[in-house]
Amino acid sequence: MLIDNTSIAIVGGGPAGLTLARLLQLKNANVKVYERDPNKNARVQGSPLDMHENSGLAALRKADLLEEFKKTFRPGADKTLIMNEQAEIFFSDHELKPEEDFGAEHFRPEIDRGPLRNMLLESLHPETVVWDSHFLSMEARQGGWILHFKNGTSAYADLVIAADGAHSKIRPYLTEMKPIYSGIIMLEGNVSKEAAPHIDALIKGGKIMAFGNSKNILLGQKGNGDLGFYASFKADENWSVHSGLDFSDKMQVLKWFKIEYSEWNSIWDELFENAQTPFIPRPIYSMPLNQSWETKPNLTLLGDAAHVMPPFAGEGANMAMLDSLELSECLTNHTYSTLQEAISAYEIKMRKRAGIATQESLENGERMHSEKALVSMLKFFNGHITS
Ligand SMILES: Cc1cc2nc3c(=O)[nH]c(=O)nc-3n(C[C@H](O)[C@H](O)[C@H](O)COP(=O)(O)OP(=O)(O)OC[C@H]3O[C@@H](n4cnc5c(N)ncnc54)[C@H](O)[C@@H]3O)c2cc1C
């Protein structure tokens, strides 16, 4: 096998890095994952993720983790309400949605990010993940790389695989292309269900997408009952600085919300009044659709490090995990005679696929933040208008 006697460093322990580590360990590869989080108990932020049949679930199936996933996913969490700013319901699939049906294209089971990470971590050999390893730089040495971390340690690897997310510090070793700002900010918050009883009564364990005045509120209920939510709107890239807001001060953020979302019903206020702080402003980026770079024999990228995926098509984690599946196959399937050939085959296919998904996601983002967002999103959801 091409990677026999090859030490592999995966930098970043998100969905991409951990899935790849699992898939490679199943082929007896020598893998370490260097993750900046201090330990396995670090809180994983963000909304639940829906897994798609031909990408995220395909990778889990190949990783022999589908049965474990079935114990961990959240039945019913994919049920969706579409609302306007007055919290009137225009679409609901709570009654219509078919039962769980693994293997069916339409079935997109949801899992919280923390349990997904734990499931992947538990599948790895002990000591695979080197925590508190914040990658800073690397230099070429003996055909491979010496990696340097913030805690003062260094490590050698024959092959480095960057899975360090949207702001990858490794991408510049391969390409000068930088993420492009989409024009959209998602302000992330989290609130317990007890502190947001009116929204809790509506969401019933699923998701809400609310559209009004070219702005959105997007919510998903997590396994512990908390409501993870995003206020999503168009603003300049440095809005978090220009707004002058202290994101640890919920009264300031509530005041901002009441002004910026002034046409919105006061039912939404409880999200902000009672949120845990700090709120996290997330400017949304993507990579150019037609990226290319010269393949190296000892370095490649996957997941958001390769193709920062805007979240408007729910493809980010799915594309990241499909990258892991395709890269692991190219490295282990005996089709290629050199690492460079194997990496090149993976990169060509990955860039094309990611470009298509990015375009779809950007188009959805525009649709969701347009004046006619509600109408077009209802059409998009196959016109299933129920009220
Ligand atoms: C607001 C928002 C909502 C989203 N919603 C969805 C959704 O519903 N569905 C979906 O599929 N996708 C969604 N996404 C996209 C999804 O989160 C990403 O596409 C996915 O997490 C990418 O996985 P990854 O493993 O490549 O990167 P990440 O999940 O970003 O993981 C990167 C890992 O690398 C570590 N790391 C970073 N820098 C370093 C460093 N220098 N050294 C060492 N370690 C480092 C990080 O701590 C992290 O563990 C959303 C994204 C955003 C911003």
Side-chain angles (χ1 to χ4, degrees):
M1 191 167 67
L2 271 180
I3 51 172
D4 286 342
N5 306 314
T6 303
S7 54
I8 302 175
I10 297 172
V11 179
L18 296 178
T19 306
L20 179 66
R22 164 70 176 173
L23 289 164
L24 291 178
Q25 280 190 343
L26 287 175
K27 302 281 183 181
N28 298 318
N30 171 9
V31 187
K32 288 279 181 207
V33 177
Y34 295 94
E35 166 57 46
R36 73 178 167 191
D37 282 348
N39 55 54
K40 68 179 170 51
N41 301 319
R43 192 162 79 94
V44 183
Q45 289 170 324
S47 52
L49 299 166
D50 59 330
M51 295 282 103
H52 303 177
E53 175 59 24
N54 295 321
S55 44
L57 290 173
L60 290 174
R61 197 172 276 118
K62 190 77 184 182
D64 206 13
L65 288 173
L66 196 63
E67 290 312 310
E68 208 48 47
F69 177 85
K70 287 180 184 174
K71 293 182 208 155
T72 318
F73 87 106
R74 299 204 21 250
D78 53 334
K79 297 192 179 207
T80 304
L81 297 178
I82 297 185
M83 298 178 159
N84 66 2
E85 73 281 3
Q86 296 308 322
E88 293 168 317
I89 299 171
F90 286 77
F91 169 88
S92 166
D93 61 8
H94 279 249
E95 307 305 328
L96 304 173
K97 201 103 180 169
E99 286 308 302
E100 278 79 51
D101 189 3
F102 281 89
E105 183 80 28
H106 70 263
F107 182 48
R108 294 186 160 189
E110 298 264 344
I111 186 166
D112 285 2
R113 288 171 191 251
L116 176 64
R117 184 186 240 193
N118 289 341
M119 181 183 79
L120 290 166
L121 283 174
E122 278 161 25
S123 75
L124 299 175
H125 300 331
E127 316 292 318
T128 302
V129 179
V130 188
W131 298 99
D132 188 27
S133 299
H134 189 147
F135 171 91
L136 290 181
S137 64
M138 62 186 189
E139 66 214 61
R141 189 77 57 85
Q142 296 163 355
W145 300 91
I146 303 261
L147 299 96
H148 302 290
F149 303 102
K150 205 174 190 170
N151 62 7
T153 60
S154 299
Y156 174 82
D158 297 311
L159 170 61
V160 170
I161 301 175
D164 54 339
H167 304 288
S168 171
K169 290 214 174 66
I170 301 183
R171 182 164 46 216
Y173 291 84
L174 211 45
T175 166
E176 289 176 353
M177 286 195 180
K178 292 195 167 55
I180 303 164
Y181 178 55
S182 69
I184 296 168
I185 302 274
M186 295 179 78
L187 179 62
E188 180 175 333
N190 199 71
V191 62
S192 72
K193 64 176 183 176
E194 292 79 17
H198 297 98
I199 303 289
D200 179 51
L202 286 167
I203 198 167
K204 293 194 202 100
K207 306 195 221 199
I208 292 177
M209 304 170 83
F211 302 99
N213 314 93
S214 307
K215 300 185 174 81
N216 309 170
I217 294 183
L218 309 168
L219 295 124
Q221 194 148 27
K222 301 180 186 177
N224 65 359
D226 280 6
L227 301 166
F229 64 93
Y230 299 98
S232 185
F233 51 92
K234 290 199 167 176
D236 79 75
E237 186 175 7
N238 297 313
W239 171 82
S240 64
V241 177
H242 297 161
S243 68
L245 289 171
D246 173 356
F247 294 102
S248 299
D249 181 342
K250 65 182 160 211
M251 285 306 132
Q252 272 193 37
V253 178
L254 175 64
K255 193 171 161 202
W256 164 85
F257 174 71
K258 285 186 168 178
I259 294 168
E260 284 303 313
Y261 281 66
S262 58
E263 291 100 342
W264 287 56
N265 192 290
S266 58
I267 190 175
W268 305 106
D269 293 356
E270 66 185 18
L271 296 173
F272 291 80
E273 274 160 2
N274 301 317
Q276 295 140 19
T277 53
F279 290 85
I280 305 170
R282 297 195 186 276
I284 301 301
Y285 294 89
S286 68
M287 291 305 289
L289 300 179
N290 57 349
Q291 296 194 79
S292 79
W293 57 77
E294 205 174 309
T295 297
K296 285 196 191 299
N298 55 9
L299 175 64
T300 189
L301 309 169
L302 80 170
D304 274 10
H307 47 65
V308 187
M309 195 60 66
F312 307 113
E315 289 288 2
N318 285 287
M319 286 297 109
M321 292 164 75
L322 185 54
D323 292 349
S324 308
L325 174 56
E326 291 182 356
L327 176 56
S328 68
E329 286 189 343
C330 286
L331 293 176
T332 62
N333 67 5
H334 305 279
T335 304
Y336 306 100
S337 45
T338 65
L339 270 178
Q340 190 153 4
E341 272 180 40
I343 292 173
S344 172
Y346 152 73
E347 288 180 344
I348 289 169
K349 201 168 164 194
M350 173 271 287
R351 283 191 297 247
K352 188 167 175 206
R353 168 169 53 70
I356 294 168
T358 303
Q359 181 161 17
E360 185 198 341
S361 186
L362 287 170
E363 285 169 5
N364 276 356
E366 273 308 308
R367 198 177 287 132
M368 289 166 68
H369 296 82
S370 70
E371 280 180 20
K372 297 196 170 149
L374 180 62
V375 173
S376 26
M377 288 309 288
L378 288 170
K379 268 196 204 141
F380 192 72
F381 273 67
N382 296 323
H384 294 307
I385 301 172
T386 56
S387 64

